[in-house]
Amino acid sequence: MRRTALVTGGNRGIGKEVCLHLLGKGLRVILTGRDFSACESAADELQREGLVLPFHMDVADGESVESCAADLKRQGIDIDILINNAAVLFNSDSMEASRVDWQEATEINFLGPVWTCRAFVPGMIKRNWGRVVNVISGYGLYSEALANSPATYGVTKAALTAFTYKLAHEVPDTVKVNAISPGWVRTQMGGENATRSVEEGAYGIVRAATLSNEGPTGKIFRDDMRLKI
Ligand SMILES: NC(=O)c1ccc[n+]([C@@H]2O[C@H](COP(=O)([O-])OP(=O)(O)OC[C@H]3O[C@@H](n4cnc5c(N)ncnc54)[C@H](OP(=O)(O)O)[C@@H]3O)[C@@H](O)[C@H]2O)c1
């Protein structure tokens, strides 16, 4: 049976690269984003690699997430793999960041994955199989760069890491929930001086998306390497 993966923020950067590799593994891919025409263009580019369908989903808007889930249900599409990739990064310290930056970062980086999990994880539990991959960052890890992170980004990614751990303990072991830190990657967010290619950044995410039934849950990785919170 061909499984279906949904990727948030799939229209560019690491998300788009993840879509490419999941298609290469024979999965059906639902490529989502807040700009539908950008999703259509990305899906057009990727379509020769396999079955990829663009859908509108603004993760900051709970109603947009629910409406996308309802559209998928109407079309008879079940989501087996959820990749919470969409995020924003604002450069400022805790006291300097604007109220809007704190709100947007929280709504996109942290609450977005909460809403998508609430929309798609119950179906995974019901069907007895699922994979959730939350894309986090070294900036969100106490053991790495949280202390020196852009505040709204680091703190919301730390919250996403905590949510990963909590959710993994609430669902049956047939649904694996892991967090992946892709490293410093050359994208719009990472900039051109970053040390890793999008392919390298996507590797750990695709690995966690396609874990075997014996695979880990509630853990954090970069590539194959386990990280500490
Ligand atoms: N690049 C790095 O060095 C690095 C390092 C550590 C972690 N990460 C993580 O890796 C993931 C991908 O990052 P990237 O480097 O590929 O960043 P990117 O190039 O800036 O892409 C971010 C994606 O998120 C989408 N997005 C933003 N807000 C959204 C919303 N409200 N709803 C839906 N989609 C939304 C963007 O869509 P629009 O085109 O509409 O803006 C875009 O598709 C993120 O979680 C990021 O935190 C990246």
Side-chain angles (χ1 to χ4, degrees), residues 74-211:
R74 263 193 298 278
Q75 296 187 34
I77 299 174
D78 292 325
I79 301 304
D80 306 300
I81 300 166
L82 170 63
I83 317 269
N84 284 312
N85 165 77
V88 285
L89 186 158
F90 307 120
N91 270 309
S92 45
D93 273 339
S94 305
M95 299 297 122
E96 292 152 10
S98 68
R99 191 182 287 248
V100 171
D101 284 1
W102 273 111
Q103 277 166 344
E104 254 189 62
T106 302
E107 279 167 11
I108 296 173
N109 298 356
F110 171 52
L111 289 176
V114 175
W115 307 144
T116 58
C117 285
R118 283 166 65 131
F120 299 112
V121 169
M124 297 178 192
I125 296 171
K126 206 160 123 196
R127 292 186 299 279
N128 233 13
W129 198 94
R131 302 289 180 263
V132 177
V133 185
N134 292 327
V135 182
I136 56 149
S137 167
Y139 273 146
L141 296 173
Y142 299 77
S143 63
E144 293 198 354
L146 179 57
N148 301 312
S149 65
T152 60
Y153 183 76
V155 170
T156 54
K157 288 291 186 181
L160 179 57
T161 307
F163 175 62
T164 305
Y165 182 80
K166 174 67 181 134
L167 182 64
H169 286 81
E170 289 182 2
V171 298
D173 198 50
T174 48
V175 178
K176 312 277 183 204
V177 186
N178 290 291
I180 303 300
S181 169
W184 187 24
V185 179
R186 290 184 293 279
T187 62
Q188 197 163 307
M189 183 183 287
E192 59 191 25
N193 294 326
T195 49
R196 308 192 88 198
S197 66
V198 278
E199 188 170 9
E200 288 170 307
Y203 169 81
I205 299 168
V206 173
R207 178 178 172 272
T210 54
L211 281 176

Side-chain angles (χ1 to χ4, degrees), residues 12-94:
R12 63 180 158 92
I14 296 171
K16 187 173 164 199
E17 185 73 11
V18 166
C19 292
L20 171 69
H21 291 277
L22 293 175
L23 289 168
K25 290 188 175 289
L27 293 159
R28 173 169 61 175
V29 172
I30 308 300
L31 187 160
T32 72
R34 59 184 168 179
D35 174 350
F36 182 63
S37 68
C39 293
E40 279 186 312
S41 306
D44 277 353
E45 266 180 61
L46 294 175
Q47 64 165 340
R48 78 176 80 93
E49 310 295 334
L51 180 51
V52 50
L53 304 170
F55 274 74
H56 176 260
M57 186 200 280
D58 180 346
V59 299
D61 175 357
E63 282 178 19
S64 167
V65 173
E66 280 172 24
S67 145
C68 176
D71 276 358
L72 287 163
K73 194 170 180 191
R74 263 193 298 278
Q75 296 187 34
I77 299 174
D78 292 325
I79 301 304
D80 306 300
I81 300 166
L82 170 63
I83 317 269
N84 284 312
N85 165 77
V88 285
L89 186 158
F90 307 120
N91 270 309
S92 45
D93 273 339
S94 305

